[in-house]
Amino acid sequence: QWLIVSSTFAKADKFLILTNSEQALRSHTTLLKATCRLDLADERFILSGCEDIPNLRAVQRDEEVPSQGVEDAVVRIAQRALEEHKDLRGVFIESTELLPYTDDVRKALGLPVWDAVNLCDLHYAARPEYSRFEVSDWMQRLTFEIGRNEGRGEGPPRKLAVVSLDYENVRVPRHWNCHGSIDYEILFMGVVGLTRYLTSLGKLTHACEKGLSEAIKFMQKEGCCGITGDCGFMMAYQIFARDHAEVPVFMSPMVMGSAILSALDKNLKVMIITADEKALKDQKKVLKEIGCIDLTEPRYVIVGCEEFQGMEKLAAKGEIAEMATVLQGVLNTVGRMVKEWPTMGVHVGAILLECAHLLPCSELLRKETGLPVYDAISCCEFFASARQDYDRFGIKQWPYAWDRSIEEE
C-alpha cells in the first residue's frame, strides 16, 4: 500500500507502522525496499512493535485473547507515537493479528489507518465479481443534493473533496455537496481560472496557485479525509497540492500504477487508458518524480481514447459522443486488443482507467475482459476506507458475526 500512499503526502510527513514484532519486520528490510520501495531506515517511518502486550498471541496457544485489554494496549502504543511525533499523517497496521483493533486506532488518533483489509478491498473491487454500479443505473444511484440535505439521516463524518475544473459555465455551481455514495459525502469546489485548457498544459497561473491553495485549506477545514480532482490532467499539480495539504492528495488514479504492477505476475502488463496518450506521456517526468509510476517501464501499455468510437475529439476539443456510442466503442476496441495481443506476446493482467470520462464503462469492461479494472473510484474508496469503521468486523462486532466454526462441503 505504500506504493500508493507515498505519492499522496508531502515528503516530510511521517507514518506509524504497527507490527506484532519489530524485530521480525526489520528482518524483511531488503525485501520491502525491493518490492515496495519502503525503506525502514527512512526517518519517515516510526516502527512500534506490540510484542510486549500480554496475551496478544494467546490464540496461538489455543487460548482466548483478552480483547479489551489488548485493544487498550494497542491504542496506548499508537497514542504514544502520536504524542512523540506530531507530524504523523497515517498508520499502517502490518500484522493481521492487529486487525481487530484498526477501528479503535482510527478513532483514537483521528488519522487514516491502512491494513490488510484495505488492500484486499482495493483489488477485489476491481474484479468482475464485484458490482459497484452498472452503466444502466449509475445515474439513478448518484443523487446530487445541491445546498440541501432533506430526507437523509445524519451520515458518517467521512467526506471526500474534489477539486473541480472551471467549466466557464454559469449554470455549474463552484461549490456544492453531493452524496455520491452511501458511505461518504463528497465536497466539490471549483477553482476560478483552472480550465481544461490550462490543465492540459500542466501549468498553473499565480492566481490559480492561490485559488488551489485556498481551496485545499477550505476542504481540510470542512473535515475532508482526502482530496482528488475531476480531471486526470490535474496530476500535473500533484506535488503542489500534496505539499499544501495534511490529508492524502490523489489528483489521478495514476497514483495506483506501481501498486497494481507489483501485484501482477512479472510477465503481465497493465493497460492504461487515457484521454490523450501524448499528454500523458508528456507528464512522465512529473509522474516519476512523484514516485507513483514510471511510464518508461515496458510493462505499461498506454492506449489513448482517440482509439475509441465517439471519443475521437475528446483530447483536442473536450467533446464526447453519447455514452451508448462510447460504451460500445470502448468494449469493442479493448475487447479486441485483449484477445489479439497475446498472439504478439503481449498479455494484459489489469486495466487502469486514467480517463474519468470512462467511469461508466468500468463494470462492463470487467465483465467483457474478465480483468481487474482500476479507476478513479477505486482510488477514492481506497483512501476513504482508511477512515472507515468496518461493518464486517471490529473488536466490538466480529466475535458475534463468526461462531468460529467452518462449514465443510
Side-chain angles (χ1 to χ4, degrees):
Q1 297 180 83
W2 177 244
L3 289 171
I4 304 176
V5 177
S6 61
S7 62
T8 64
F9 285 89
K11 290 186 176 181
D13 292 337
K14 295 183 178 180
F15 298 86
L16 171 65
I17 300 178
L18 280 176
T19 176
N20 62 357
S21 173
E22 181 176 345
Q23 182 180 0
L25 181 61
R26 289 192 181 278
S27 68
H28 296 301
T29 297
T30 303
L31 178 63
L32 290 171
K33 192 173 182 179
T35 59
C36 309
R37 296 202 302 268
L38 192 154
D39 186 357
L40 294 179
D42 192 327
E43 293 182 352
R44 298 184 69 181
F45 300 115
I46 311 300
L47 268 65
S48 291
C50 298
E51 54 266 59
D52 293 332
I53 297 178
N55 296 314
L56 172 64
R57 296 184 172 181
V59 68
Q60 296 181 5
R61 303 190 299 269
D62 199 24
E63 299 175 3
E64 182 177 356
V65 177
S67 298
Q68 189 61 54
V70 173
E71 171 194 329
D72 293 341
V74 171
V75 170
R76 281 197 300 271
I77 291 174
Q79 288 176 326
R80 191 182 310 123
L82 182 59
E83 291 171 359
E84 296 175 356
H85 304 276
K86 301 297 184 182
D87 49 356
L88 278 182
R89 293 291 179 261
V91 181
F92 290 96
I93 304 288
E94 180 272 336
S95 171
T96 55
E97 291 180 339
L98 300 177
L99 277 177
Y101 317 109
T102 298
D103 289 346
D104 299 284
V105 174
R106 286 192 181 110
K107 182 177 180 180
L109 272 58
L111 295 174
V113 180
W114 289 277
D115 59 19
V117 176
N118 300 110
L119 187 60
C120 290
D121 279 350
L122 171 68
H123 293 296
Y124 174 70
R127 297 295 306 172
E129 298 83 5
Y130 175 81
S131 180
R132 182 175 54 225
F133 54 70
E134 296 289 348
V135 69
S136 59
D137 64 5
W138 75 281
M139 286 301 294
Q140 285 75 21
R141 292 181 61 181
L142 184 64
T143 307
F144 287 89
E145 301 183 20
I146 301 177
R148 61 187 176 86
N149 193 29
E150 294 90 357
R152 186 181 293 272
E154 183 178 355
R158 294 185 307 143
K159 185 183 294 186
L160 179 71
V162 180
V163 177
S164 183
L165 289 177
D166 183 352
Y167 289 100
E168 302 172 309
N169 187 334
V170 295
R171 294 176 297 175
V172 178
R174 298 212 182 271
H175 172 204
W176 74 98
N177 289 330
C178 119
H179 292 277
S181 166
I182 60 173
D183 291 328
Y184 47 88
E185 184 180 356
I186 304 175
L187 168 65
F188 286 85
M189 190 168 185
V191 176
V192 178
L194 192 63
T195 62
R196 184 183 181 280
Y197 174 71
L198 185 63
T199 57
S200 69
L201 299 176
K203 306 294 184 180
L204 275 178
T205 64
H206 291 301
C208 284
E209 281 189 0
K210 181 180 179 181
L212 181 55
S213 177
E214 291 176 349
I216 291 171
K217 290 179 181 178
F218 176 80
M219 291 167 169
Q220 292 185 144
K221 186 177 179 181
E222 288 294 301
C224 293
C225 64
I227 299 173
T228 187
D230 68 352
C231 175
F233 287 139
M234 289 189 189
M235 194 62 186
Y237 313 140
Q238 174 70 19
I239 295 178
F240 176 88
R242 76 182 187 186
D243 288 348
H244 285 76
E246 295 181 357
V247 296
V249 175
F250 37 100
M251 302 304 282
S252 163
M254 292 294 285
V255 299
M256 300 186 293
S258 294
I260 297 170
L261 198 67
S262 69
L264 296 176
D265 181 273
K266 63 181 180 180
N267 295 315
L268 296 177
K269 299 181 183 291
V270 175
M271 178 190 291
I272 300 175
I273 302 180
T274 178
D276 187 336
E277 181 177 350
K278 181 181 181 301
L280 181 62
K281 288 182 176 179
D282 288 343
Q283 290 190 0
K284 64 181 180 181
K285 183 177 180 180
V286 68
L287 289 170
K288 188 173 182 179
E289 182 182 354
I290 292 168
C292 62
I293 192 170
D294 181 2
L295 291 181
T296 62
E297 162 62 55
R299 290 178 62 195
Y300 293 118
V301 182
I302 303 175
V303 177
C305 283
E306 58 269 19
E307 299 266 359
F308 304 138
Q309 179 185 359
M311 301 190 73
E312 299 90 343
K313 298 180 180 179
L314 177 61
K317 299 183 179 181
E319 298 177 3
I320 187 171
E322 292 294 326
M323 183 50 65
T325 302
V326 171
L327 178 61
Q328 194 58 53
V330 171
L331 291 179
N332 290 342
T333 305
V334 175
R336 174 175 50 80
M337 290 176 173
V338 171
K339 290 178 181 178
E340 294 179 356
W341 284 0
T343 62
M344 297 179 284
V346 178
H347 300 273
V348 176
I351 298 174
L352 174 57
L353 292 184
E354 185 270 345
C355 180
H357 288 282
L358 294 179
L359 279 175
C361 305
S362 297
E363 297 294 339
L364 290 181
L365 270 177
R366 293 184 178 110
K367 294 178 179 178
E368 177 71 18
T369 65
L371 297 172
V373 177
Y374 302 84
D375 57 22
I377 296 180
S378 309
C379 190
C380 291
E381 291 189 345
F382 171 76
F383 285 99
S385 69
R387 302 297 290 265
Q388 175 186 16
D389 288 341
Y390 294 139
D391 55 3
R392 290 183 300 266
F393 65 84
I395 193 62
K396 306 298 189 303
Q397 296 87 19
W398 74 275
Y400 306 101
W402 179 39
D403 62 2
R404 295 177 178 269
S405 63
I406 300 177
E407 294 183 4
E408 296 184 0
E409 295 182 358

